[in-house]
Amino acid sequence: MNRLSRVAPWLAFPRETRHQPVRVLVHSDTDALRSLVARDRVSNVFVDSLVNQHRSAVPAIPGAHMLGYFEDDGARLAAACWVGSNVVPVEADAQQAAAFARWMAAHWQPHASIFGPAEATLSMVATLKDAGITAQEVRANQPLLAITGEPLVDADPALCVSDSGQFGEILVAAAAMFEEEVGYSPFLGGEANYRRRVAWLISHGYSFSHNEPRGEVIFKADLGAVTQHATQVQGVWMNPRYRGQGLSAGYMAGVVKLAQLHAPVTSLYVNDYNTRARALYERVGFEQMGTFATVLF
């Protein structure tokens, strides 16, 4: 036996016992995670809503994890990251986000997207690329917008909370919106899962719409994340037959009014190149408060 082989086991021991900054959070980390999320209730509304829903740092969703990045020899939770069908960093800088991405690469499973504050999201996709995991599309500049108080235009009173009897029409509109946004049908990932998601939004009062008398959807929007502090609007869609008629501002003002029944701050993020949508949101009263990025796989 050579000298190196005799000493190697002792050389490895400190590496195995030394604190690792990233680990999966457990129930006892819940209070620390809540404090972390509370630093920015709007940017972190997605994860905030999940923690409230699960009432724990441990997800109830099979296969999902909440990661934590710890500093001060493991005593302080400095950043977090939701890892499920989507990946969402929380209060992470570029270095912390890269560490989350290395954990993901070592435990790789398919993800639909990474989204969140741009610095962390772009750091994660760069680290994954170095590990040989490439994205289909990177949307690097998505202004994060928010509004508090009354919208600057009158709300269209025709917009209302969707009801279960509209499920079929809302599902068709939701699928059309998804395909326009990402370029493929949401049913490719499992029609049953998407149907459940749309039904869940309707049953919780998080789907808003205006339909023609015969049922076809004219306009729809959802609250993709809801807490007592903030909501995040997603799934905004106007029926192509009604576009260009000046209806969008009134509908979006209606979305704000309905969202404010749940929380005082209404937020959303939008692609920087979508100048028409950005002008619409500004007209309604949204203001930029940060920058998100989205990575599609």
Side-chain angles (χ1 to χ4, degrees), residues 73-155:
D73 292 327
R76 182 173 65 89
L77 179 64
C81 186
W82 165 264
V83 180
S85 58
N86 298 299
V87 176
V88 184
V90 178
E91 297 298 305
D93 61 22
Q95 176 183 341
Q96 295 159 345
F100 289 138
R102 287 191 291 272
W103 186 98
M104 289 171 55
H107 304 81
W108 183 251
Q109 57 182 337
H111 303 286
S113 69
I114 305 172
F115 67 86
E119 179 187 25
T121 300
L122 297 177
S123 175
M124 294 184 77
V125 72
T127 303
L128 290 174
K129 183 178 180 180
D130 289 341
I133 301 168
T134 57
Q136 295 295 320
E137 184 180 355
V138 178
R139 300 177 181 182
N141 184 358
Q142 297 178 306
L144 174 64
L145 311 177
I147 181 173
T148 303
E150 289 290 319
L152 300 182
V153 299
D154 293 334

Coordinates of all heavy atoms in Angstrom, one line a residue, residues 73-155:
D73 N -21.6 29.2 9.7 CA -21.5 27.8 10.1 C -22.8 27.1 10.2 O -23.0 26.3 11.2 CB -20.7 27.7 11.4 CG -19.2 28.1 11.2 OD1 -18.7 27.9 10.1 OD2 -18.6 28.7 12.1
G74 N -23.8 27.5 9.3 CA -25.0 26.8 9.4 C -26.1 27.4 10.3 O -27.2 26.9 10.4
A75 N -25.7 28.5 10.9 CA -26.7 29.1 11.9 C -27.7 30.0 11.3 O -28.8 30.2 11.9 CB -25.9 29.9 13.0
R76 N -27.4 30.5 10.1 CA -28.3 31.6 9.5 C -28.8 31.2 8.1 O -27.9 30.9 7.3 CB -27.6 32.9 9.5 CG -28.5 34.1 9.0 CD -27.8 35.4 9.2 NE -26.6 35.5 8.4 CZ -26.5 35.9 7.1 NH1 -27.7 36.3 6.5 NH2 -25.4 36.0 6.5
L77 N -30.1 31.2 7.9 CA -30.6 31.0 6.6 C -30.5 32.3 5.8 O -31.1 33.3 6.1 CB -32.1 30.5 6.6 CG -32.8 30.3 5.3 CD1 -32.2 29.1 4.5 CD2 -34.3 30.1 5.5
A78 N -29.6 32.3 4.8 CA -29.3 33.5 4.0 C -30.1 33.6 2.7 O -30.3 34.7 2.2 CB -27.8 33.6 3.7
A79 N -30.5 32.5 2.1 CA -31.3 32.5 0.9 C -32.0 31.1 0.8 O -31.7 30.2 1.5 CB -30.3 32.7 -0.3
A80 N -33.0 31.1 -0.1 CA -33.7 29.8 -0.3 C -34.1 29.7 -1.8 O -33.9 30.6 -2.6 CB -35.0 29.9 0.6
C81 N -34.6 28.5 -2.1 CA -34.9 28.2 -3.5 C -36.0 27.1 -3.5 O -35.7 26.0 -3.0 CB -33.7 27.8 -4.3 SG -34.0 27.6 -6.1
W82 N -37.1 27.4 -4.1 CA -38.2 26.4 -4.3 C -37.7 25.6 -5.6 O -37.4 26.1 -6.6 CB -39.5 27.0 -4.6 CG -40.5 26.1 -5.2 CD1 -40.9 26.0 -6.5 CD2 -41.4 25.2 -4.5 NE1 -41.9 25.1 -6.6 CE2 -42.2 24.6 -5.4 CE3 -41.5 24.9 -3.1 CZ2 -43.2 23.6 -5.1 CZ3 -42.5 23.9 -2.8 CH2 -43.3 23.3 -3.7
V83 N -37.8 24.3 -5.4 CA -37.4 23.4 -6.5 C -38.5 22.4 -6.7 O -38.7 21.4 -5.9 CB -36.1 22.6 -6.3 CG1 -35.8 21.7 -7.5 CG2 -35.0 23.6 -6.1
G84 N -39.4 22.6 -7.7 CA -40.5 21.7 -8.0 C -40.6 21.6 -9.6 O -39.6 21.6 -10.3
S85 N -41.8 21.6 -10.1 CA -41.9 21.7 -11.5 C -41.4 23.0 -12.1 O -40.8 23.0 -13.2 CB -43.4 21.5 -11.9 OG -44.2 22.6 -11.4
N86 N -41.4 24.0 -11.3 CA -40.7 25.3 -11.5 C -39.7 25.5 -10.4 O -39.8 25.0 -9.3 CB -41.7 26.5 -11.6 CG -42.7 26.3 -12.7 OD1 -42.3 26.3 -13.9 ND2 -44.0 26.2 -12.4
V87 N -38.8 26.4 -10.7 CA -37.7 26.7 -9.7 C -37.7 28.2 -9.4 O -37.7 29.0 -10.4 CB -36.3 26.3 -10.2 CG1 -35.2 26.7 -9.3 CG2 -36.3 24.7 -10.5
V88 N -37.7 28.6 -8.2 CA -37.9 30.0 -7.8 C -36.9 30.4 -6.7 O -37.1 29.9 -5.6 CB -39.3 30.3 -7.4 CG1 -39.4 31.8 -7.1 CG2 -40.3 29.9 -8.4
P89 N -35.8 31.1 -7.0 CA -34.9 31.6 -5.9 C -35.5 32.7 -5.0 O -36.4 33.5 -5.5 CB -33.7 32.1 -6.7 CG -34.3 32.6 -8.0 CD -35.5 31.6 -8.3
V90 N -35.1 32.7 -3.8 CA -35.6 33.7 -2.8 C -34.5 34.4 -2.1 O -33.6 33.7 -1.5 CB -36.5 33.0 -1.7 CG1 -37.0 34.0 -0.7 CG2 -37.7 32.3 -2.4
E91 N -34.4 35.7 -2.3 CA -33.4 36.5 -1.6 C -32.0 36.0 -1.9 O -31.1 36.1 -1.0 CB -33.7 36.6 -0.1 CG -35.0 37.2 0.2 CD -35.1 38.7 -0.2 OE1 -34.2 39.5 0.1 OE2 -36.0 39.1 -1.0
A92 N -31.7 35.5 -3.0 CA -30.4 34.9 -3.4 C -29.6 35.8 -4.2 O -30.1 36.4 -5.2 CB -30.6 33.6 -4.1
D93 N -28.3 36.0 -3.9 CA -27.4 36.7 -4.8 C -26.8 35.7 -5.8 O -27.2 34.5 -5.8 CB -26.3 37.4 -4.0 CG -25.4 36.5 -3.2 OD1 -25.3 35.3 -3.5 OD2 -24.8 36.9 -2.2
A94 N -25.9 36.2 -6.6 CA -25.5 35.3 -7.7 C -24.7 34.1 -7.2 O -24.9 33.0 -7.7 CB -24.6 36.2 -8.7
Q95 N -23.9 34.3 -6.2 CA -23.1 33.2 -5.6 C -24.0 32.1 -5.0 O -23.9 30.9 -5.2 CB -22.1 33.7 -4.6 CG -21.3 32.6 -3.9 CD -20.4 33.2 -2.8 OE1 -20.1 34.4 -2.8 NE2 -20.0 32.3 -1.9
Q96 N -25.0 32.6 -4.2 CA -25.9 31.7 -3.6 C -26.8 30.9 -4.6 O -27.0 29.7 -4.5 CB -26.8 32.4 -2.6 CG -26.0 33.0 -1.4 CD -26.8 34.2 -0.7 OE1 -27.7 34.7 -1.3 NE2 -26.3 34.5 0.4
A97 N -27.2 31.7 -5.6 CA -28.0 31.0 -6.7 C -27.2 30.0 -7.4 O -27.7 28.9 -7.8 CB -28.5 32.1 -7.7
A98 N -25.9 30.2 -7.7 CA -25.1 29.3 -8.3 C -24.9 28.0 -7.5 O -24.9 26.9 -8.0 CB -23.7 29.9 -8.6
A99 N -24.9 28.2 -6.2 CA -24.8 27.0 -5.3 C -26.1 26.2 -5.4 O -26.1 24.9 -5.4 CB -24.6 27.4 -3.9
F100 N -27.2 26.8 -5.5 CA -28.5 26.1 -5.7 C -28.5 25.3 -7.0 O -28.9 24.2 -7.1 CB -29.7 27.1 -5.6 CG -30.0 27.7 -4.3 CD1 -30.3 29.0 -4.2 CD2 -30.0 26.9 -3.2 CE1 -30.6 29.6 -3.0 CE2 -30.3 27.4 -1.9 CZ -30.6 28.8 -1.8
A101 N -28.0 26.0 -8.0 CA -27.9 25.3 -9.4 C -27.0 24.1 -9.3 O -27.3 23.1 -10.0 CB -27.5 26.4 -10.4
R102 N -25.9 24.2 -8.6 CA -25.0 23.0 -8.5 C -25.8 21.9 -7.8 O -25.6 20.7 -8.2 CB -23.7 23.4 -7.8 CG -22.8 24.3 -8.7 CD -21.4 24.4 -8.0 NE -21.5 25.2 -6.8 CZ -21.3 26.5 -6.8 NH1 -21.1 27.2 -7.9 NH2 -21.3 27.1 -5.6
W103 N -26.5 22.2 -6.8 CA -27.3 21.1 -6.1 C -28.3 20.6 -7.1 O -28.5 19.3 -7.2 CB -28.1 21.7 -4.9 CG -28.8 20.7 -4.1 CD1 -28.4 20.1 -3.0 CD2 -30.1 20.1 -4.4 NE1 -29.3 19.2 -2.5 CE2 -30.4 19.2 -3.3 CE3 -31.1 20.3 -5.4 CZ2 -31.6 18.5 -3.3 CZ3 -32.3 19.6 -5.3 CH2 -32.5 18.7 -4.3
M104 N -29.0 21.4 -7.9 CA -30.0 20.9 -8.9 C -29.3 20.0 -9.9 O -29.8 19.0 -10.3 CB -30.6 22.1 -9.6 CG -31.6 22.9 -8.7 SD -32.1 24.4 -9.5 CE -32.8 23.8 -11.1
A105 N -28.1 20.4 -10.4 CA -27.4 19.6 -11.4 C -27.1 18.2 -10.8 O -27.1 17.2 -11.6 CB -26.1 20.3 -11.8
A106 N -26.7 18.2 -9.6 CA -26.4 16.9 -8.9 C -27.6 16.0 -8.6 O -27.5 14.8 -8.5 CB -25.6 17.2 -7.6
H107 N -28.8 16.7 -8.6 CA -30.0 15.9 -8.3 C -31.0 16.2 -9.4 O -32.2 16.4 -9.2 CB -30.6 16.4 -7.0 CG -29.7 16.3 -5.8 ND1 -28.7 17.2 -5.5 CD2 -29.6 15.3 -4.8 CE1 -28.1 16.8 -4.4 NE2 -28.6 15.7 -4.0
W108 N -30.5 16.2 -10.7 CA -31.3 16.7 -11.8 C -32.6 15.9 -12.0 O -32.7 14.7 -12.0 CB -30.5 16.7 -13.1 CG -31.3 17.4 -14.2 CD1 -31.8 16.7 -15.3 CD2 -31.7 18.7 -14.3 NE1 -32.5 17.6 -16.1 CE2 -32.4 18.9 -15.5 CE3 -31.5 19.9 -13.5 CZ2 -33.0 20.1 -15.9 CZ3 -32.0 21.1 -13.9 CH2 -32.7 21.2 -15.1
Q109 N -33.7 16.7 -12.2 CA -34.9 16.2 -12.7 C -35.5 17.3 -13.6 O -35.1 18.5 -13.5 CB -35.9 15.9 -11.5 CG -36.2 17.1 -10.6 CD -37.1 16.8 -9.5 OE1 -37.9 15.8 -9.5 NE2 -37.0 17.6 -8.4
P110 N -36.4 16.9 -14.5 CA -36.9 18.0 -15.4 C -37.7 19.1 -14.7 O -38.4 18.8 -13.8 CB -37.9 17.1 -16.3 CG -37.4 15.7 -16.2 CD -36.9 15.6 -14.8
H111 N -37.5 20.3 -15.2 CA -38.2 21.5 -14.7 C -38.7 22.2 -15.8 O -38.1 22.3 -16.9 CB -37.2 22.4 -13.8 CG -36.6 21.7 -12.7 ND1 -37.2 21.4 -11.5 CD2 -35.3 21.2 -12.6 CE1 -36.4 20.7 -10.7 NE2 -35.2 20.7 -11.3
A112 N -39.9 22.8 -15.6 CA -40.5 23.6 -16.7 C -39.8 25.0 -16.9 O -39.6 25.4 -18.0 CB -42.0 23.9 -16.4
S113 N -39.4 25.6 -15.7 CA -38.8 26.9 -15.8 C -38.1 27.2 -14.5 O -38.3 26.6 -13.5 CB -39.9 28.0 -16.1 OG -40.7 28.1 -15.0
I114 N -37.3 28.3 -14.6 CA -36.8 29.0 -13.4 C -37.2 30.4 -13.6 O -37.1 31.0 -14.7 CB -35.2 29.0 -13.4 CG1 -34.7 27.6 -13.4 CG2 -34.7 29.7 -12.1 CD1 -33.1 27.5 -13.5
F115 N -37.8 31.0 -12.6 CA -38.2 32.4 -12.7 C -38.0 33.1 -11.3 O -38.0 32.5 -10.3 CB -39.6 32.6 -13.2 CG -40.7 32.1 -12.2 CD1 -41.2 32.9 -11.2 CD2 -41.2 30.8 -12.4 CE1 -42.2 32.5 -10.4 CE2 -42.2 30.4 -11.5 CZ -42.7 31.2 -10.6
G116 N -37.8 34.4 -11.4 CA -37.6 35.2 -10.2 C -36.6 36.3 -10.5 O -36.4 36.7 -11.6
P117 N -36.1 37.0 -9.4 CA -35.2 38.1 -9.6 C -34.1 37.8 -10.6 O -33.5 36.7 -10.6 CB -34.7 38.3 -8.2 CG -35.8 37.9 -7.3 CD -36.4 36.7 -8.0
A118 N -33.8 38.7 -11.5 CA -33.0 38.4 -12.6 C -31.6 38.0 -12.3 O -31.0 37.0 -12.9 CB -32.9 39.6 -13.5
E119 N -30.9 38.6 -11.3 CA -29.5 38.3 -11.0 C -29.4 36.8 -10.6 O -28.6 36.1 -11.1 CB -29.0 39.1 -9.8 CG -27.6 38.8 -9.4 CD -27.1 39.5 -8.2 OE1 -27.9 39.9 -7.4 OE2 -25.9 39.7 -8.0
A120 N -30.3 36.3 -9.7 CA -30.3 35.0 -9.2 C -30.6 34.0 -10.3 O -30.0 33.0 -10.5 CB -31.2 34.8 -8.0
T121 N -31.7 34.3 -11.1 CA -32.2 33.4 -12.1 C -31.1 33.2 -13.2 O -30.8 32.1 -13.6 CB -33.5 33.9 -12.7 OG1 -34.5 34.0 -11.7 CG2 -34.0 33.0 -13.8
L122 N -30.5 34.3 -13.6 CA -29.5 34.2 -14.7 C -28.2 33.5 -14.2 O -27.5 32.8 -15.0 CB -29.1 35.6 -15.2 CG -30.3 36.3 -15.9 CD1 -30.0 37.7 -16.3 CD2 -30.9 35.5 -17.1
S123 N -27.9 33.7 -12.9 CA -26.7 33.0 -12.4 C -27.0 31.5 -12.3 O -26.1 30.6 -12.6 CB -26.5 33.4 -10.9 OG -25.4 32.7 -10.3
M124 N -28.2 31.1 -12.0 CA -28.6 29.7 -12.0 C -28.5 29.0 -13.4 O -27.9 27.9 -13.6 CB -30.0 29.5 -11.4 CG -30.1 29.8 -10.0 SD -31.7 29.5 -9.3 CE -31.6 27.7 -9.1
V125 N -29.0 29.7 -14.4 CA -29.0 29.1 -15.8 C -27.5 29.1 -16.3 O -27.2 28.1 -17.0 CB -29.9 29.9 -16.7 CG1 -29.3 31.3 -17.1 CG2 -30.2 29.1 -18.0
A126 N -26.7 30.0 -15.9 CA -25.3 29.9 -16.3 C -24.6 28.8 -15.7 O -23.8 28.1 -16.4 CB -24.6 31.3 -16.0
T127 N -24.9 28.5 -14.4 CA -24.2 27.4 -13.7 C -24.7 26.1 -14.3 O -23.9 25.1 -14.5 CB -24.5 27.5 -12.2 OG1 -24.1 28.8 -11.7 CG2 -23.9 26.4 -11.4
L128 N -26.0 26.0 -14.6 CA -26.5 24.8 -15.2 C -25.9 24.5 -16.5 O -25.6 23.4 -16.9 CB -28.1 24.8 -15.2 CG -28.8 24.8 -13.9 CD1 -30.3 25.0 -14.1 CD2 -28.6 23.4 -13.2
K129 N -25.8 25.6 -17.3 CA -25.1 25.4 -18.6 C -23.7 24.9 -18.5 O -23.3 24.0 -19.3 CB -25.1 26.8 -19.3 CG -24.6 26.7 -20.8 CD -24.6 28.1 -21.4 CE -24.1 28.0 -22.9 NZ -24.1 29.3 -23.5
D130 N -23.0 25.3 -17.5 CA -21.6 24.8 -17.3 C -21.7 23.3 -17.0 O -20.7 22.6 -17.2 CB -20.9 25.6 -16.2 CG -20.6 27.0 -16.5 OD1 -20.5 27.3 -17.8 OD2 -20.4 27.8 -15.6
A131 N -22.8 22.9 -16.4 CA -23.0 21.5 -16.0 C -23.5 20.7 -17.2 O -23.8 19.5 -17.0 CB -23.8 21.3 -14.8
G132 N -23.7 21.3 -18.3 CA -24.3 20.6 -19.5 C -25.8 20.6 -19.6 O -26.3 19.9 -20.4
I133 N -26.5 21.4 -18.8 CA -27.9 21.5 -18.8 C -28.3 22.8 -19.5 O -28.1 23.9 -18.9 CB -28.5 21.4 -17.4 CG1 -28.1 20.0 -16.8 CG2 -30.0 21.5 -17.5 CD1 -28.4 20.0 -15.3
T134 N -28.9 22.7 -20.7 CA -29.1 23.9 -21.4 C -30.6 24.2 -21.4 O -31.5 23.3 -21.4 CB -28.7 23.8 -22.9 OG1 -29.3 22.7 -23.5 CG2 -27.1 23.6 -22.9
A135 N -30.9 25.5 -21.5 CA -32.3 26.0 -21.6 C -32.8 26.2 -23.0 O -32.0 26.3 -23.9 CB -32.4 27.3 -20.8
Q136 N -34.1 26.1 -23.2 CA -34.7 26.3 -24.5 C -34.8 27.8 -24.8 O -34.6 28.3 -26.0 CB -36.1 25.7 -24.6 CG -36.1 24.2 -24.5 CD -35.4 23.5 -25.7 OE1 -35.6 24.0 -26.8 NE2 -34.7 22.5 -25.4
E137 N -35.0 28.6 -23.8 CA -35.2 30.1 -24.0 C -34.9 30.8 -22.7 O -35.3 30.3 -21.6 CB -36.6 30.4 -24.4 CG -36.8 31.9 -24.8 CD -38.3 32.2 -25.2 OE1 -39.1 31.2 -25.4 OE2 -38.6 33.4 -25.4
V138 N -34.2 31.9 -22.8 CA -33.9 32.8 -21.6 C -34.5 34.1 -21.9 O -34.2 34.8 -22.8 CB -32.4 32.9 -21.4 CG1 -32.1 33.8 -20.2 CG2 -31.8 31.5 -21.1
R139 N -35.4 34.5 -21.0 CA -36.0 35.9 -21.0 C -35.4 36.7 -19.9 O -35.8 36.6 -18.8 CB -37.5 35.8 -20.9 CG -38.2 35.0 -22.0 CD -39.7 34.8 -21.9 NE -40.2 34.0 -23.0 CZ -41.5 33.7 -23.2 NH1 -42.4 34.2 -22.3 NH2 -41.9 33.0 -24.2
A140 N -34.3 37.4 -20.3 CA -33.4 38.0 -19.2 C -33.9 39.3 -18.6 O -33.4 39.7 -17.6 CB -32.1 38.2 -19.9
N141 N -34.9 39.9 -19.2 CA -35.3 41.3 -18.7 C -36.8 41.3 -18.7 O -37.5 41.6 -19.7 CB -34.7 42.3 -19.6 CG -35.0 43.7 -19.1 OD1 -35.7 43.9 -18.1 ND2 -34.5 44.8 -19.8
Q142 N -37.4 41.1 -17.5 CA -38.8 41.2 -17.4 C -39.2 42.1 -16.2 O -39.0 41.7 -15.0 CB -39.4 39.8 -17.1 CG -39.2 38.8 -18.2 CD -39.7 37.4 -17.8 OE1 -39.3 36.8 -16.8 NE2 -40.6 36.8 -18.7
P143 N -39.5 43.3 -16.5 CA -39.9 44.3 -15.5 C -40.9 43.7 -14.5 O -42.0 43.2 -14.9 CB -40.4 45.5 -16.2 CG -39.7 45.4 -17.5 CD -39.6 44.0 -17.9
L144 N -40.6 43.8 -13.2 CA -41.6 43.4 -12.2 C -42.4 44.7 -11.8 O -41.8 45.7 -11.4 CB -40.9 42.9 -11.0 CG -41.7 42.6 -9.7 CD1 -42.8 41.5 -10.0 CD2 -40.9 42.2 -8.5
L145 N -43.7 44.7 -12.0 CA -44.5 45.8 -11.8 C -45.5 45.6 -10.7 O -45.9 44.5 -10.4 CB -45.3 46.1 -13.1 CG -44.6 46.1 -14.4 CD1 -45.5 46.3 -15.6 CD2 -43.5 47.2 -14.4
A146 N -45.9 46.7 -10.0 CA -46.9 46.6 -8.9 C -47.7 47.8 -8.8 O -47.3 48.9 -9.3 CB -46.1 46.3 -7.6
I147 N -48.9 47.7 -8.3 CA -49.8 48.8 -8.0 C -50.4 48.7 -6.7 O -50.8 47.6 -6.3 CB -50.9 48.9 -9.1 CG1 -51.8 50.1 -8.9 CG2 -51.7 47.6 -9.3 CD1 -52.8 50.4 -10.0
T148 N -50.5 49.8 -6.0 CA -51.2 49.8 -4.7 C -52.2 51.0 -4.8 O -51.9 52.1 -5.2 CB -50.2 50.1 -3.5 OG1 -49.2 49.1 -3.5 CG2 -50.9 50.1 -2.2
G149 N -53.4 50.7 -4.4 CA -54.4 51.8 -4.4 C -55.2 51.7 -5.7 O -55.2 50.7 -6.5
E150 N -56.0 52.7 -6.0 CA -56.9 52.8 -7.1 C -56.2 52.8 -8.4 O -55.2 53.5 -8.6 CB -57.8 54.0 -7.0 CG -58.8 54.0 -5.9 CD -59.9 53.0 -6.1 OE1 -60.4 52.8 -7.3 OE2 -60.3 52.3 -5.2
P151 N -56.7 52.0 -9.4 CA -56.1 52.1 -10.8 C -56.4 53.5 -11.4 O -57.3 54.2 -10.9 CB -56.8 51.0 -11.5 CG -58.0 50.6 -10.7 CD -57.7 51.0 -9.3
L152 N -55.6 53.8 -12.4 CA -55.8 55.2 -12.9 C -56.9 55.3 -14.0 O -57.1 56.4 -14.5 CB -54.4 55.6 -13.6 CG -53.2 55.6 -12.6 CD1 -52.0 56.1 -13.4 CD2 -53.5 56.5 -11.4
V153 N -57.4 54.1 -14.4 CA -58.6 54.1 -15.3 C -59.7 53.4 -14.6 O -59.6 52.6 -13.7 CB -58.2 53.5 -16.6 CG1 -57.1 54.2 -17.3 CG2 -57.8 52.0 -16.4
D154 N -60.9 53.6 -15.2 CA -62.1 52.9 -14.6 C -62.1 51.4 -14.9 O -61.7 51.0 -16.0 CB -63.4 53.6 -15.2 CG -63.6 55.0 -14.7 OD1 -63.1 55.3 -13.7 OD2 -64.2 55.8 -15.5
A155 N -62.5 50.7 -14.0 CA -62.6 49.2 -14.2 C -63.8 48.9 -15.0 O -64.9 49.5 -14.8 CB -62.6 48.5 -12.8

